[in-house]
Amino acid sequence: MVGEELVGGPFLDADGMKALGAALAITVTGLASAWAEKEIGTAAIGAMAENEGLFGKGLILTVIPETIVIFGLVVALLINSA
Amino acid sequence: MSRPKEMTRAVIVGHKSILKETIDSLHDTNLFHVEDFVEDESGFKISKPLKNAEEVSKKLVKIRSIANYLGIVKKEPVVQKTDSVLRDLDSKLNELDRAIATKTESIAQLENELKDLDSQKRELLPYLSINLDFDDYRGYESLKVFAGMVKGNLDGSQISSITKAYELYFDPQSKTTVLFVAKSDADKVYELLQGLGFRELRVPERGGVPSELLRFIEQKEAEVTRKIESLRNEIESLKTKYADFILASDEILTIESQKAELPLRIATSANAFIIEGWTPTEDYDKVVSAVNSATNGKAYVTSLEVEEEEEEHVPVEYNNSKIAAPMQQIMDLYSRPKYTELDPSSVILITFPLMYGLILGDIGYALILGAIALAVKKAMKSDAVGALMNILIYCQISTFIFGIIYGEFLGFSLASLHTEHGSVPGLIPGWETIVLFEGLGGEEFTFPIHRTHMVMTMIAVTVLIGLLQLNLGFLLGFANISRHHGMKHAVLEKGSWLVIELGVLLAAIGYLNGTGLAYVGAVILVLGIVMLTMGEGIKGPIELPSLMGNALSYARIIAVGLSSIYIASTVNDIAFEMIWADHSKIGFVAIAAILVFILGHALNTVLSIIAPGLHALRLQYVEFFGKFYEGGGRKYNPFGYIRKYTEE
């Protein structure tokens, strides 16, 4: 069978590729979220030091980039369940 | 759906002679939000504080510094009569002040003494091994005494090369050296000593043998420490004795100073004053009658018309039922609604716990967290904590219901699970999974819902739930705008989104079925976009893609939920594998397994507050509120004080 020969040898098989893809989706988006949240979080803490009432706004702004990794997680789930 | 309380703008005018009575009555009712007066051309000026202001604030500073020093914390209130506290205030305050002052002074003195003793001890320690009376070091005419430390070793042979007339004491361990030589040889000996890195030590001035002196100093130290300890205990007992008094008088003085400083916020002329402010319309009569009875009707109270431009700046007081009231915390965290806006507290009373429950959905965690919330609410009597715990309890009720729908308990599946590889029985024997209908991507929609096995379907379902909430947001925005800017604006700004969604829906159905409905949908979609551009300008169409982003964002409901399940079931797997691996004897491994189980689930419980809470909150704040809510209202902050420790 041609297909099996193609993915054999040094290459991963289809399941391995799927797992790798899912892992990449989580890793890269996780790093991206972390990076964005770091920048916003430090600014938010700075603002809160000036005015504690800004906690709510700071919290909201900080969790906004969380969407990136959530999308990554959704993509990983889709890859795995497909 | 509620609106903030209706407010009335009121003005109180009177002669300065009745200012104090007016202020007292307003403070007691605790219903009047005083508007700060800004000096203008009218000739009215800001007044000076009442006469007693300086005295009151002096006492307040004193009592707060004492409270701070004693570390008095707010506690279960013991209610006291204001007059009796006031009567004793001066004498007690002075007494307390004096007692603390003398005690702290003696403590400071004793601590100095302790430091002194310590330095004496330090001086003494090097001589301990020599143990020569300190009086022997002094009072010679022809002898020179070298007392100090050297780096290397010193013995008699080195010195005897210079002179035979010497007496050496050397401790090889501490390198302490005491050397007596004739004055005539002193210079040469000193050179030798310098070569050995000699460093001179001070000889203590008092006489006596070091070991005895040391014992004496240590005794003294113990004595001083004991004294300090007992003084500290006395201060501690002052704290317990005066705590109630301090809390009560702090409260009374705070009230007095609030009253005394009100004139700084109002308008006065030579003989008259004007106080302007807001009160809830329902309480207006109460304010009027309170002021009238306090001043024998000499003050003139009237309500003013509120113009429409001013409405934005009216102070805002929530108007919610007791059940929805805890949600005000969530609103305040974001921003208080404007006076002209709808207050969504009662909407998020449903949607926030709903999202939370959809995410967590586990009977076990619902029971654990619900119990914790109840316990904390019981233990902490604070209002803010109580409200937060109420929110948590609402969320756990919803989590429990979804836990039944998902059939989950601490990550275990309660119902049986049928897969291609066969069927796995659930935790509750006999609870069979029922297939309801076909889901997406070859999945089956079942009851209970096995989230891990119907990811595709659940993503679609959650996005659909998201679309429902977003449209609820559009409807609320529609209601807000139509009330204040008319129907036309509402239709263009918010209605257009509904038209756009309808267009997309029809186009999608038409495209899938291959019918002409696609073209109808496209026309409606274009119409919607045109309406949106008319309503919001170019900014509208730019925001179009965000609708898709917002809807997809709700997929986090299933994503975060799955991550929680995976953590829980991983903990379960590890714990149970450990137990099954070694079932011949129940011992260390079993205990370790139980530990893993408990710690793992404790960790996941903490995560179960943070992750679903934060994401459910975010769905409200970012996705939902973004569709209709502005916020930025001013807090209604009535002039007054809620007494806890005193009563009239």
Side-chain angles (χ1 to χ4, degrees):
Chain A
M1 295 259 250
V2 184
E4 269 177 20
E5 276 168 39
L6 258 180
V7 294
F11 298 106
L12 290 165
D13 61 0
D15 275 347
M17 286 301 235
K18 267 166 76 174
L20 199 60
L24 268 177
I26 296 272
T27 327
V28 179
T29 51
L31 285 173
S33 286
W35 189 15
E37 278 177 22
K38 173 206 137 205
E39 305 270 334
I40 300 170
T42 41
I45 289 169
M48 266 160 62
E50 299 259 327
N51 176 4
E52 280 185 34
L54 289 173
F55 174 74
K57 295 232 161 63
L59 180 74
I60 298 156
L61 289 173
T62 313
V63 296
I64 282 180
E66 188 86 2
T67 312
I68 307 172
V69 69
I70 295 287
F71 283 168
L73 193 55
V74 171
V75 168
L77 290 173
L78 288 178
I79 292 175
N80 262 343
S81 65
Chain B
M1 190 81 249
S2 62
R3 309 195 59 82
K5 275 190 185 165
E6 200 185 321
M7 301 297 255
T8 297
R9 179 178 210 147
V11 172
I12 305 166
V13 184
H15 190 265
K16 264 187 172 171
S17 61
I18 52 163
L19 178 57
K20 189 166 184 320
E21 289 80 357
T22 313
I23 290 177
D24 283 349
S25 64
L26 286 180
H27 196 276
D28 289 346
T29 52
N30 196 15
L31 286 170
F32 195 74
H33 176 107
V34 176
E35 203 65 59
D36 289 0
F37 172 68
V38 184
E39 284 188 7
D40 53 15
E41 309 284 289
S42 63
F44 280 93
K45 292 264 178 283
I46 286 172
S47 182
K48 289 194 190 70
L50 296 183
K51 265 184 239 125
N52 63 344
E54 201 179 334
E55 197 198 331
V56 166
S57 61
K58 247 188 216 160
K59 281 184 201 162
L60 193 57
V61 167
K62 204 183 227 176
I63 203 112
R64 288 208 176 139
S65 75
I66 290 174
N68 203 10
Y69 177 76
L70 293 180
I72 295 209
V73 282
K74 301 217 156 60
K75 53 170 197 129
E76 208 51 10
V78 180
V79 178
Q80 303 177 56
K81 287 265 180 240
T82 306
D83 347 337
S84 73
V85 175
L86 266 181
R87 207 177 320 116
D88 304 340
L89 183 66
D90 285 335
S91 60
K92 268 196 183 172
L93 193 57
N94 279 333
E95 191 185 310
L96 191 58
D97 196 28
R98 217 172 20 244
I100 289 179
T102 50
K103 287 199 170 68
T104 43
E105 206 176 309
S106 354
I107 288 183
Q109 254 171 23
L110 289 171
E111 271 172 350
N112 267 341
E113 210 174 308
L114 208 59
K115 245 183 239 158
D116 205 36
L117 287 172
D118 192 54
S119 66
Q120 280 182 32
K121 197 160 110 179
R122 257 174 229 277
E123 245 171 33
L124 198 64
L125 284 177
Y127 294 102
L128 212 56
S129 49
I130 311 266
N131 222 15
L132 211 60
D133 194 314
F134 285 122
D135 278 336
D136 294 345
Y137 287 71
R138 295 179 273 262
Y140 303 110
E141 272 176 23
S142 54
L143 278 183
K144 170 81 183 160
V145 184
F146 291 102
M149 320 269 263
V150 289
K151 289 232 170 77
N153 260 330
L154 187 65
D155 55 49
S157 61
Q158 288 160 292
I159 301 161
S160 56
S161 64
I162 300 170
T163 173
K164 299 273 179 244
Y166 72 92
E167 174 114 31
L168 172 70
Y169 298 89
F170 179 70
D171 175 28
Q173 229 150 32
S174 65
K175 310 277 186 210
T176 310
T177 315
V178 178
L179 178 61
F180 297 84
V181 290
K183 262 213 174 123
S184 51
D185 301 320
D187 288 345
K188 278 187 195 154
V189 173
Y190 186 58
E191 262 173 43
L192 167 80
L193 286 174
Q194 269 192 321
L196 288 165
F198 178 71
R199 191 163 55 79
E200 201 167 357
L201 280 175
R202 225 173 76 86
V203 180
E205 271 159 31
R206 63 197 308 177
V209 184
S211 57
E212 272 173 29
L213 282 177
L214 183 71
R215 209 165 37 244
F216 178 71
I217 289 175
E218 275 173 349
Q219 263 172 15
K220 198 101 195 250
E221 265 185 345
E223 201 178 304
V224 173
T225 319
R226 217 169 27 245
K227 272 190 200 157
I228 292 179
E229 201 58 31
S230 84
L231 280 171
R232 292 231 163 97
N233 282 341
E234 280 172 42
I235 289 180
E236 195 62 24
S237 69
L238 277 182
K239 178 179 164 182
T240 43
K241 187 176 161 199
Y242 283 100
D244 289 333
F245 163 74
I246 289 173
L247 287 170
S249 48
D250 185 325
E251 184 167 290
I252 291 172
L253 290 170
T254 307
I255 291 171
E256 284 306 316
S257 102
Q258 277 180 0
K259 286 180 185 173
E261 277 165 14
L262 186 71
L264 289 170
R265 301 169 58 195
I266 63 175
T268 50
S269 68
N271 294 310
F273 69 86
I274 305 175
I275 306 176
E276 209 182 325
W278 300 91
T279 171
T281 306
E282 62 194 31
D283 296 321
Y284 176 67
D285 292 338
K286 269 190 226 164
V287 173
V288 174
S289 67
V291 171
N292 278 338
S293 69
T295 61
N296 286 326
K298 282 187 204 151
Y300 176 69
V301 188
T302 184
S303 62
L304 293 182
E305 199 67 24
V306 181
E307 283 166 38
E308 208 170 310
E309 308 91 74
E310 284 179 313
E311 278 200 333
E312 293 243 310
H313 306 292
V314 178
V316 175
E317 172 70 342
Y318 291 108
N319 187 18
N320 285 313
S321 62
K322 226 179 150 194
I323 300 172
M327 291 303 172
Q328 289 163 198
Q329 294 269 336
I330 290 184
M331 291 306 306
D332 273 344
L333 195 60
Y334 185 83
S335 175
R336 199 169 269 239
K338 276 190 192 146
Y339 184 61
T340 49
E341 265 185 307
L342 287 164
D343 163 21
S345 303
S346 44
V347 176
I348 55 173
L349 172 68
I350 315 241
T351 55
F352 177 68
L354 181 80
M355 298 296 162
Y356 184 99
L358 268 167
I359 293 174
L360 189 53
D362 186 297
I363 297 173
Y365 290 127
L367 292 177
I368 294 174
L369 287 171
I372 291 176
L374 277 175
V376 172
K377 194 183 158 191
K378 206 125 204 215
M380 310 251 273
K381 294 244 150 60
S382 136
D383 291 342
V385 175
L388 282 179
M389 289 306 127
N390 276 339
I391 296 174
L392 196 55
I393 290 170
Y394 295 160
C395 289
Q396 297 320 318
I397 294 171
S398 151
T399 304
F400 188 83
I401 296 170
F402 280 105
I404 295 173
I405 294 176
Y406 295 155
E408 280 172 31
F409 184 91
L410 292 181
F412 293 107
S413 193
L414 288 180
S416 62
L417 177 60
H418 305 285
T419 61
E420 302 138 33
H421 311 294
S423 89
V424 187
L427 218 54
I428 297 179
W431 189 357
E432 290 293 323
T433 302
I434 310 159
V435 177
L436 295 175
F437 43 82
E438 197 79 357
L440 289 178
E443 294 166 349
E444 285 165 334
F445 202 93
T446 56
F447 175 82
I449 295 168
H450 295 281
R451 287 190 276 178
T452 43
H453 289 80
M454 39 193 299
V455 176
M456 290 281 251
T457 317
M458 284 308 285
I459 287 178
V461 170
T462 50
V463 170
L464 205 65
I465 292 172
L467 277 173
L468 286 178
Q469 195 186 15
L470 291 179
N471 283 317
L472 178 63
F474 285 130
L475 289 178
L476 293 177
F478 191 92
N480 248 343
I481 293 180
S482 73
R483 187 166 180 275
H484 289 281
H485 304 287
M487 193 51 105
K488 188 185 151 209
H489 278 277
V491 169
L492 289 181
E493 278 180 38
K494 302 292 172 188
S496 54
W497 287 99
L498 301 178
V499 176
I500 288 169
E501 283 176 53
L502 181 72
V504 172
L505 186 70
L506 287 181
I509 292 173
Y511 179 75
L512 289 179
N513 293 346
T515 58
L517 209 55
Y519 298 106
V520 182
V523 171
I524 295 177
L525 176 63
V526 171
L527 178 72
I529 293 175
V530 170
M531 281 165 66
L532 183 65
T533 318
M534 283 165 68
E536 299 202 27
I538 191 67
K539 175 171 137 258
I542 289 173
E543 275 183 25
L544 262 180
S546 77
L547 184 64
M548 199 176 82
N550 284 339
L552 280 180
S553 182
Y554 281 81
R556 75 183 62 231
I557 290 175
I558 177 73
V560 177
L562 281 181
S563 71
S564 166
I565 296 182
Y566 287 142
I567 293 174
S569 55
T570 307
V571 170
N572 294 341
D573 284 351
I574 294 173
F576 279 84
E577 257 170 42
M578 280 168 83
I579 284 191
W580 298 144
D582 186 26
H583 47 83
S584 54
K585 51 180 184 280
I586 292 180
F588 171 73
V589 180
I591 295 168
I594 292 169
L595 265 179
V596 166
F597 188 79
I598 292 175
L599 286 180
H601 281 295
L603 174 78
N604 205 23
T605 308
V606 176
L607 288 178
S608 298
I609 305 178
I610 299 171
L614 220 53
H615 284 284
L617 203 59
R618 178 220 145 94
L619 287 178
Q620 315 302 318
Y621 283 164
V622 181
E623 273 78 19
F624 185 45
F625 282 7
K627 299 288 162 280
F628 67 99
Y629 189 70
E630 269 182 55
R634 263 200 313 153
K635 191 179 173 198
Y636 165 72
N637 186 13
F639 176 62
Y641 193 92
I642 299 167
R643 286 167 184 268
K644 272 167 93 179
Y645 302 100
T646 56
E647 59 186 17
E648 286 290 339

